[in-house]
Structures are given as C-alpha cells and as structure tokens.
C-alpha cells in the first residue's frame, strides 16, 4: 500500500533508481518480504537525517522493528558498504575521475556521547574536552568517504589512524598518499611509510594564523565532516554499538551522494574570496 505522506528525507524516483540495483535481491526461501524496499530505505534515511529514536518513526513507514531489523541485517552483511561504495564510484565517474582514488585526506572528529553510549566504548578527549567517541575518516580529494572508524574519544589521533590505515590499505590499495594535519605528525608518518607503504604529508596552519582558515588539500575533509554532522543522528553519538555509528555515517554519505547524482550537481570546490580595500 502506498504511503500517505512524503518527507524531505525520502528518496525521489531518480535517487531510488541509483540505490535499488545495489541492494541484494530478496531471499527466495522463507516468507516473502511484506514491505517495499524503498519504504525501508526511506525510513532508515529518516532516522539518519532527523535523529529520532527507532520507536518514533512516523506511522506511515513500515513498523520500526522491521526497519531496525533491515538496518541491523544490512550492517552485519556489509550491504550498506556495498551501496555506499557503488554510489561513490558513480560520483567519481560523473566527475571524470577513475573509480580508484590515488590520494586522500585523513582526519578525526570527537563527538559527545549520549547516555546510551556504554562506558566501555566511550572516553574523554582532553584536547577537545569531549566525553564520547571519536570518528576517524579517510576521504578522497572530492571529499567522498573511503574509510571510517569509530573509537572512544580518548584514543590518540596517531593510534586511531594506525588502525584505520590498516583497513584502508586493503580496501583501497590504489590510495597510497594522504594529507593530514599536525596532530598526525611524528612517528605516525614514519610508521605509515614503513608498514602500509603510504606517504602522509602534514599540512600545517600558517604561522600566526588566528581563527578558522581553510587549508589547502585539507579543507575537503572538514567539509565531509560537516556533511556527516548535518544529519542529526550523527550530531552526537547515540549508539550502544560503535558499528551502528559507523553504519549511520555510511547512510549519511549515501544520502549526500545520491542527491548529488540525481541533481547532477558538480562537487563544489572552495576558492578563496577576494576582498577589495575600501
């Protein structure tokens, strides 16, 4: 039965056409699926974008237990990563790029943890004064996600980055050059070159810089973090399981990329604003 209402987070027909072929076929054995896959995906995107609890899904979506079941199943089986990576390849092709990136940017982001975040999976970032979790991400030069890792906020940047780069080494073997900020300087640069054969170039702030200024090569990862936290479910970390936090990051990027593909809008590039002296 058709839903009675559409929400801003819902997929358009053009957007759904990109996602549908990337989903696994419905199993032939057992009971047939009762609800439309598109409604399931719309419901997951609704939770991601609006930050509501599963039980607060509007009544015209499938039952929340059904939606949550699909979210968990697709998380465990890697379906969300398959959909994400397929869309990322489409965006790169639309930009005239190879689907195998050769350079990227790494960064971390500390976010406050809600009371639902268990003590064993949270920590305190003394530098940012944040009690919660830390997200490490690697993006390509377009700002598209290549790898993500969610750990307690107490994890040092160099330690979390090592764990992430080991996974990145196998999932994206073509990307062997990364830009990073000063927090990753030192022994991590030597470790990356020796162990995972990846060159890490440190992009430092300008001497005497005050306030925020976009840094060459590194601004793209800051924009990606803004894309992610623009989804309310990710403005804080609410998940008991860090793997669920990771899955929501992928869903946020799925929503970001599929809208760009449907609208065929080029990835905007930051350029410095010129000011005229009065």
């Amino acid at each position: 039965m058709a839903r009675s209402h559409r929400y801003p987070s819902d997929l358009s027909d053009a957007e759904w056409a990109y996602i549908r072929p990337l989903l696994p076929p419905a199993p032939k054995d057992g009971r047939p699926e009762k609800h439309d896959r598109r409604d399931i995906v719309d419901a997951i995107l609704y939770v991601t974008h609006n930050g509501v609890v599963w039980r607060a899904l509007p009544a015209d979506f499938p039952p929340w237990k059904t939606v949550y079941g699909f979210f968990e199943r697709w998380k465990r089986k890697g379906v969300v990563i398959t959909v994400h990576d397929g869309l990322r390849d489409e965006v790169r092709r639309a930009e005239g790029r190879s689907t195998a990136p050769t350079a990227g940017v790494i960064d971390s982001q500390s976010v406050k943890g809600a009371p639902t975040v268990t003590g064993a999976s949270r920590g305190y970032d003394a530098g940012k004064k944040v009690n919660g979790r830390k997200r490490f991400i690697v993006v390509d030069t377009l700002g598209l996600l290549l790898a993500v890792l969610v750990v307690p906020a107490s994890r040092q940047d160099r330690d979390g980055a090592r764990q992430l780069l080991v996974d990145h080494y196998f999932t994206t073997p073509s990307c062997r050059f990364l830009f990073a900020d000063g927090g990753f300087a030192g022994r991590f640069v030597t470790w990356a070159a020796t162990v995972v054969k990846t060159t890490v170039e440190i992009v430092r702030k300008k001497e005497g810089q005050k306030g925020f200024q976009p840094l060459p090569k590194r601004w793209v990862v800051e924009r990606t973090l803004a894309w992610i936290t623009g989804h309310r479910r990710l403005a804080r970390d609410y998940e008991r399981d860090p793997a669920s936090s990771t899955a929501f990051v992928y869903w946020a990027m799925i929503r970001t990329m599929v809208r760009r593909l449907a609208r065929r809008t080029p990835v905007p590039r930051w350029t410095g604003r010129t000011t005229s002296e009065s």
Side-chain angles (χ1 to χ4, degrees):
M1 187 174 73
R3 282 167 47 206
S4 59
H5 186 74
R6 308 301 294 179
Y7 298 92
S9 57
D10 285 353
L11 298 170
S12 67
D13 291 343
E15 292 164 354
W16 174 240
Y18 282 103
I19 291 181
R20 182 177 182 178
L22 298 173
L23 294 172
K28 296 182 179 179
D29 55 341
R31 187 172 58 183
E33 292 181 0
K34 182 178 179 181
H35 300 280
D36 191 289
R37 286 278 184 92
R38 182 171 176 177
D39 288 340
I40 298 293
V41 173
D42 279 342
I44 294 174
L45 293 178
Y46 183 93
V47 172
T48 306
H49 183 249
N50 295 284
V52 301
V53 297
W54 291 104
R55 289 175 174 81
L57 272 173
D60 53 353
F61 282 119
W64 74 266
K65 289 185 178 180
T66 301
V67 177
Y68 178 72
F70 271 92
F71 173 84
E72 281 291 309
R73 192 178 312 126
W74 288 346
K75 178 186 74 177
R76 291 195 311 268
K77 294 186 176 182
V79 172
V80 62
I81 297 177
T82 300
V83 174
H84 171 274
D85 290 355
L87 293 174
R88 185 188 64 215
D89 291 348
E90 285 288 341
V91 174
R92 288 187 61 85
R93 279 192 288 265
E95 287 288 311
R97 304 293 187 90
S98 166
T99 57
T102 57
V105 192
I106 186 171
D107 204 356
S108 66
Q109 177 191 51
S110 295
V111 291
K112 292 182 179 179
T116 48
V117 176
T118 59
S121 65
R122 69 190 299 152
Y124 184 71
D125 183 342
K128 301 291 179 62
K129 295 180 174 57
V130 170
N131 188 325
R133 287 186 178 141
K134 184 178 287 188
R135 300 173 187 140
F136 289 88
I137 65 170
V138 177
V139 302
D140 65 10
T141 53
L142 297 177
L144 305 177
L145 191 67
L146 299 177
V148 59
L149 173 70
V150 178
V151 295
S154 54
R155 185 76 60 87
Q156 293 293 321
D157 281 357
R158 298 179 186 91
D159 296 333
R162 288 182 182 185
Q163 183 177 347
L164 179 62
L165 250 61
V166 170
D167 295 336
H168 176 66
Y169 177 81
F170 293 103
T171 58
T172 317
S174 61
C175 184
R176 299 278 71 90
F177 191 97
L178 296 176
F179 296 97
D181 67 15
F184 298 92
R187 287 182 293 177
F188 170 71
V189 175
T190 304
W191 175 89
T194 305
V195 178
V196 291
K197 311 302 180 185
T198 300
T199 300
V200 178
E201 180 177 318
I202 303 300
V203 181
R204 300 185 184 276
K205 293 182 180 180
K206 299 177 182 178
E207 190 173 350
Q209 174 180 327
K210 294 183 180 180
F212 172 77
Q213 290 183 21
L215 298 177
K217 308 297 183 182
R218 281 204 61 252
W219 66 270
V220 292
V221 72
E222 302 290 350
R223 182 186 59 179
T224 303
L225 291 171
W227 288 343
I228 291 170
T229 52
H231 295 74
R232 291 185 179 180
R233 187 78 180 204
L234 294 162
R236 297 181 70 183
D237 197 315
Y238 297 93
E239 315 310 319
R240 290 183 175 87
D241 182 4
S244 294
S245 297
T246 301
F248 273 118
V249 171
Y250 281 116
W251 279 112
M253 289 303 297
I254 286 170
R255 182 173 179 270
T256 300
M257 291 188 296
V258 76
R259 296 204 161 192
R260 186 176 304 284
L261 284 167
R263 296 169 183 174
R264 288 296 180 182
T265 304
V267 175
R269 301 187 178 280
W270 177 85
T271 54
R273 290 181 294 177
T274 56
T275 57
S276 58
E277 297 182 0
S278 57

